[in-house]
Each structure stands twice: as C-alpha cells, then as structure tokens.
C-alpha cells in the first residue's frame, strides 16, 4: 500500500508553487552558476563549482521529494469536516499544560505542512498522535524529550485555510 500524505488544499497549492519555483527558476539559475564556475578552470580545486553542484543536488532532491508528496497527497477539505468537539486533521486545539497552567494552541496538519513557528504540528508528531480522536475535556499524556507532559483539551475549532 502506498503511503498517503494528508494535506489541506492551501498546503497542496503551496507545495505546487514551491515545485514550480524550483523547476522554472532555481534549476535554471543553478545551471548557469555551474557553467560560470566551470569557466574558471580546474574543477578539482574550484570551490564555486563544488558549491554550485552541492546546491544543485539539494534542489534536485527537493524536487524529487515534492513530486513524491504531490503524487501521494490526500487533499482534505477542512471546511467539510464534522467537528463534534473531537480533534481531527485540520482542527486547531487549545490545550492547558497541566504542569504550568499555560494555554497552548496547535493546528493539526500533515507532515508537509507542519510549521512550529505557526504552531502547526503534524498529526504524526508525538503530540498530534495523542490528540487525534480525543474530545474537549479529555486529558492526554505526551512523551517528550524532557519527560511526560500532561495536557487537557480546552477547545477544538476549524479555522479558515488562510489562518
């Protein structure tokens, strides 16, 4: 069975845009950089050439990765989800950290969309795995590198795609 990657429509578009940028701009630019570096002579000791080839390798690797994710993406329209106070893909969860009484908000998304700066976590992360399927009021225990953390689910909401 092929692995499917859950993703929101906005997340899918973002990956498509990144792939287009890599193929139509970055790939062409790095090819030019390699040609310029080649013109500088001996390739064995040409730092510009080796740096450009390494950058090319990273770009090609990301293109392959994006093609794979896009080919196996399972688009989930969050606006069509029946909420019922249960944590599911695409929802934003407000948690209470029972150790320090701090409130936290996380949006549960697929791995390709996870972004800690936005507080978007993957459904396959330790916290995400523990939250999926739980209801408002339930408590969850999460194993973290710093030990076990206890949270209570305060609310579950669906936000617009742009949020």
């Amino acid at each position: 069975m092929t692995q499917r990657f859950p993703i929101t429509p906005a997340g899918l578009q973002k990956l498509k845009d990144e792939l287009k940028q890599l193929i139509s701009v970055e790939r062409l630019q790095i090819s030019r950089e390699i040609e310029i570096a080649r013109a500088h002579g001996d390739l064995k000791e040409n730092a510009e050439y080796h740096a450009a080839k390494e950058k090319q390798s990273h770009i090609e690797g990301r293109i392959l990765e994006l093609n794979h994710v896009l080919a196996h993406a399972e688009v989930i329209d969050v606006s069509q989800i029946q909420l019922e106070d249960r944590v599911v893909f695409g929802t934003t969860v407000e948690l209470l950290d029972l150790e320090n009484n701090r409130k936290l908000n996380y949006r549960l998304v697929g791995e390709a969309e996870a972004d800690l700066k936005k507080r978007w976590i993957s459904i396959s992360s330790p916290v995400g795995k523990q939250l999926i399927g739980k209801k408002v009021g339930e408590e969850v225990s999460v194993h973290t590198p710093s030990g076990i953390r206890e949270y209570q689910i305060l609310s579950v909401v669906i936000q617009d795609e742009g949020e």
Side-chain angles (χ1 to χ4, degrees), residues 1 11 24 31 39 41-42 65 73 75 77 103 114 120-121 129 132-133:
M1 177 154 170
S24 62
S31 291
D42 186 11
E65 179 183 4
V75 180
D77 186 351
K103 290 182 180 179
W120 289 15
I121 60 170
K129 284 180 183 178
I132 289 292

Side-chain angles (χ1 to χ4, degrees), residues 23-40 48-49 52 56:
I23 291 172
S24 62
V25 177
E26 303 286 331
R27 188 185 259 173
L28 296 174
Q29 184 178 337
I30 196 62
S31 291
R32 280 189 230 108
E33 288 177 24
I34 289 170
E35 286 305 313
I36 291 168
R38 262 194 195 136
H40 291 125
E48 282 181 43
Y49 174 78
Q56 181 186 42

Side-chain angles (χ1 to χ4, degrees), residues 3-152:
Q3 180 184 6
R4 305 296 293 167
F5 298 99
I7 193 164
T8 63
L12 182 72
Q13 188 58 52
K14 185 178 175 187
L15 293 183
K16 285 180 177 180
D17 291 346
E18 180 184 352
L19 181 61
K20 182 179 178 183
Q21 170 74 17
L22 288 171
I23 291 172
S24 62
V25 177
E26 303 286 331
R27 188 185 259 173
L28 296 174
Q29 184 178 337
I30 196 62
S31 291
R32 280 189 230 108
E33 288 177 24
I34 289 170
E35 286 305 313
I36 291 168
R38 262 194 195 136
H40 291 125
D42 186 11
L43 297 183
K44 287 183 194 172
E45 297 182 21
N46 187 331
E48 282 181 43
Y49 174 78
H50 292 290
K53 288 298 281 184
E54 187 172 328
K55 185 176 176 185
Q56 181 186 42
S57 175
H58 288 291
I59 289 169
E60 294 303 322
R62 182 66 177 154
I63 288 171
L64 287 172
E65 179 183 4
L66 287 171
N67 276 323
H68 178 74
V69 171
L70 291 170
H72 298 94
E74 181 178 342
V75 180
I76 299 173
D77 186 351
V78 178
S79 68
Q80 301 301 309
I81 293 174
Q82 298 297 317
L83 196 54
E84 301 171 5
D85 289 336
R86 193 173 288 278
V87 180
V88 296
F89 176 87
T91 55
T92 297
V93 182
E94 182 180 27
L95 302 173
L96 177 65
D97 185 323
L98 297 175
E99 184 178 315
N100 60 24
N101 234 20
R102 225 175 81 217
K103 290 182 180 179
L104 304 163
N105 287 298
Y106 292 114
R107 183 171 183 197
L108 277 84
V109 296
E111 287 182 36
E113 292 179 273
D115 183 344
L116 272 176
K117 290 177 188 165
K118 290 178 165 180
R119 303 199 70 76
W120 289 15
I121 60 170
S122 169
I123 57 172
S124 60
S125 70
V127 174
K129 284 180 183 178
Q130 291 301 315
L131 291 174
I132 289 292
K134 300 291 191 294
K135 288 186 169 189
V136 172
E138 285 190 60
E139 293 181 7
V140 295
S141 297
V142 180
H143 294 274
T144 69
S146 61
I148 296 175
R149 303 296 302 220
E150 301 282 334
Y151 300 103
Q152 181 180 24

Side-chain angles (χ1 to χ4, degrees), residues 144-163:
T144 69
S146 61
I148 296 175
R149 303 296 302 220
E150 301 282 334
Y151 300 103
Q152 181 180 24
I153 300 170
L154 299 178
S155 68
V156 180
V157 296
I158 295 177
Q159 295 181 314
D160 290 337
E161 278 294 301
E163 294 184 47

